[in-house]
Amino acid sequence: MFAEAFADEGFSVWWDAALHSGETFDEVIEQKLRESGAVVVLWSPRSVASRWVRAEATQADRRNKLAPAIIEPCDRPIIFELTHAADLCDWTGDITDLRWRTFVDDLSHLIEARASEGQAPAPTPSRLLQAAAKRLDMHSRHSAPERKPIRPGNDEVLFAGEQRERAVRPPVEEPQVQQPEVDHSAEVHCLEITDSGFGDRIIIVDTPSAKVGRMPPADIVIPDKSISREHCMFGLAADALLVTDLNSTNGTFVDGERITSATIVPVGSVLQIGQVVLTHSIRVRGEVEQSAAARGDASAKRLAASN
């Protein structure tokens, strides 16, 4: 399932099942480990118990190309406990799941970093994003209302806005790239909070994935006791706003219905996170920022920034 999903995202995938008759498997595996841009290790009770997997993961880690994910609850080898691993224990193949989208995004950045060092070819980002966008409607529970896209021709996952630090160890120095100027006349997805405890606040959602929680290191911090430390994730795909619950205690609701998987939030819908209620709207970025400045709210994009 993982190999097929990576292939659908546009990655060139090799795994043990691709061995051909007559090939010496240890030599082929070592060759592929050297040639690959990234090595995805899927941790489970079976892989943890495998000396082969441990050895392969160690080789990948030494080459700074390890991309681990936990697919079943297990105790990882102690040497890998300090390496961040994506939690995909209950992932069932839904490519709109924001945890999967974040993992794919991190994997792309890792491969690009390796390519910048001249060690592996990088995938074409547009291929990866278009593959996800084309299959979005097949996996979403709700359909977004028809309207003109926020950005003309935008049929890919949106990558506008701030970039979060990637969990790639050790950090790789990348060439400085001049960030494009922010278009203050552009329309953006907004979540508006009207609450006596917070006042009127607006969160601009303009990244492919952002984790919401009660305290840092969440990307969007909403300090309410009804919100879990890691409550849900927001993201954008195919010009739609998505939300995924992260097994929160008090749940995430779209128009009164508790969600259990990645769900589109239509424009005008009411999103409830714990006891905090937000309304989805489309606003002009400049107007939102001016309104925030008038209230003395320096963080229209974040209730509290973790970076």
Side-chain angles (χ1 to χ4, degrees), residues 175-288:
Q176 294 294 325
V177 179
Q178 185 175 1
Q179 296 294 329
E181 294 184 2
V182 175
D183 184 358
H184 296 283
S185 64
E187 292 184 322
V188 289
H189 290 271
C190 295
L191 289 169
E192 304 180 37
I193 302 176
T194 303
D195 182 85
S196 57
F198 296 107
D200 293 338
R201 297 292 184 96
I202 299 178
I203 301 172
I204 296 176
V205 183
D206 59 359
T207 62
S209 63
K211 186 176 292 185
V212 182
R214 188 175 66 250
M215 60 184 67
D219 303 294
I220 300 174
V221 176
I222 304 179
D224 186 89
K225 63 182 180 180
S226 67
I227 294 177
S228 300
R229 184 185 297 267
E230 293 186 350
H231 197 102
C232 64
M233 292 188 73
F234 296 150
L236 299 176
D239 201 39
L241 173 65
L242 288 155
V243 62
T244 301
D245 187 75
L246 298 178
N247 297 318
S248 64
T249 301
N250 295 316
T252 302
F253 301 80
V254 176
D255 291 330
E257 180 180 353
R258 187 164 187 167
I259 65 170
T260 57
S261 61
T263 302
I264 287 180
V265 183
V267 177
S269 290
V270 174
L271 174 66
Q272 181 176 334
I273 305 173
Q275 298 301 317
V276 178
V277 177
L278 310 93
T279 303
H280 180 201
S281 63
I282 299 295
R283 303 277 295 275
V284 175
R285 179 188 290 274
E287 294 178 357
V288 175

Side-chain angles (χ1 to χ4, degrees), residues 11-304:
F11 293 102
S12 176
V13 182
W14 184 92
W15 61 308
D16 290 3
L19 284 165
H20 299 291
S21 176
E23 291 182 327
T24 305
F25 66 89
D26 57 338
E27 293 180 358
V28 174
I29 290 174
E30 289 179 7
Q31 177 187 356
K32 295 301 181 181
L33 284 172
R34 289 193 299 269
E35 296 175 349
S36 64
V39 177
V40 176
V41 175
L42 305 178
W43 290 119
S44 69
R46 291 174 299 283
S47 65
V48 166
S50 169
R51 295 178 62 187
W52 279 103
V53 174
R54 289 172 180 246
E56 292 161 6
T58 300
Q59 289 292 324
D61 192 37
R62 288 176 181 172
R63 292 182 169 89
N64 301 325
K65 57 176 67 175
L66 178 64
I70 302 172
I71 61 173
E72 292 180 16
C74 62
D75 293 323
R76 288 177 288 161
I78 191 169
I79 191 174
F80 297 109
E81 285 289 345
L82 299 179
T83 302
H84 171 75
D87 185 357
L88 298 174
C89 286
D90 58 350
W91 186 67
T92 59
D94 181 2
I95 67 161
T96 66
D97 190 316
L98 292 183
R99 291 167 298 176
W100 172 256
R101 297 252 53 83
T102 300
F103 187 52
V104 168
D105 189 23
D106 289 342
L107 187 59
S108 297
H109 280 73
L110 176 58
I111 294 175
E112 290 167 4
R114 304 299 297 170
S116 68
E117 298 173 353
Q119 299 189 33
T124 304
S126 61
R127 255 183 88 198
L128 308 182
L129 303 177
Q130 287 170 356
K134 287 178 181 177
R135 293 177 57 192
L136 175 65
D137 292 338
M138 297 172 58
H139 294 267
S140 300
R141 294 176 55 195
H142 296 278
S143 297
E146 293 185 2
R147 59 180 175 80
K148 183 178 179 180
I150 290 179
R151 294 174 176 81
N154 177 21
D155 60 351
E156 301 178 350
V157 178
L158 305 181
F159 273 84
E162 299 176 348
Q163 298 295 322
R164 296 183 294 129
E165 182 178 352
R166 302 292 169 186
V168 179
R169 188 175 65 86
V172 177
E173 292 186 4
E174 298 184 9
Q176 294 294 325
V177 179
Q178 185 175 1
Q179 296 294 329
E181 294 184 2
V182 175
D183 184 358
H184 296 283
S185 64
E187 292 184 322
V188 289
H189 290 271
C190 295
L191 289 169
E192 304 180 37
I193 302 176
T194 303
D195 182 85
S196 57
F198 296 107
D200 293 338
R201 297 292 184 96
I202 299 178
I203 301 172
I204 296 176
V205 183
D206 59 359
T207 62
S209 63
K211 186 176 292 185
V212 182
R214 188 175 66 250
M215 60 184 67
D219 303 294
I220 300 174
V221 176
I222 304 179
D224 186 89
K225 63 182 180 180
S226 67
I227 294 177
S228 300
R229 184 185 297 267
E230 293 186 350
H231 197 102
C232 64
M233 292 188 73
F234 296 150
L236 299 176
D239 201 39
L241 173 65
L242 288 155
V243 62
T244 301
D245 187 75
L246 298 178
N247 297 318
S248 64
T249 301
N250 295 316
T252 302
F253 301 80
V254 176
D255 291 330
E257 180 180 353
R258 187 164 187 167
I259 65 170
T260 57
S261 61
T263 302
I264 287 180
V265 183
V267 177
S269 290
V270 174
L271 174 66
Q272 181 176 334
I273 305 173
Q275 298 301 317
V276 178
V277 177
L278 310 93
T279 303
H280 180 201
S281 63
I282 299 295
R283 303 277 295 275
V284 175
R285 179 188 290 274
E287 294 178 357
V288 175
E289 294 173 345
Q290 289 177 5
S291 177
R295 295 193 307 269
D297 176 14
S299 180
K301 184 174 296 184
R302 303 282 187 266
L303 285 182

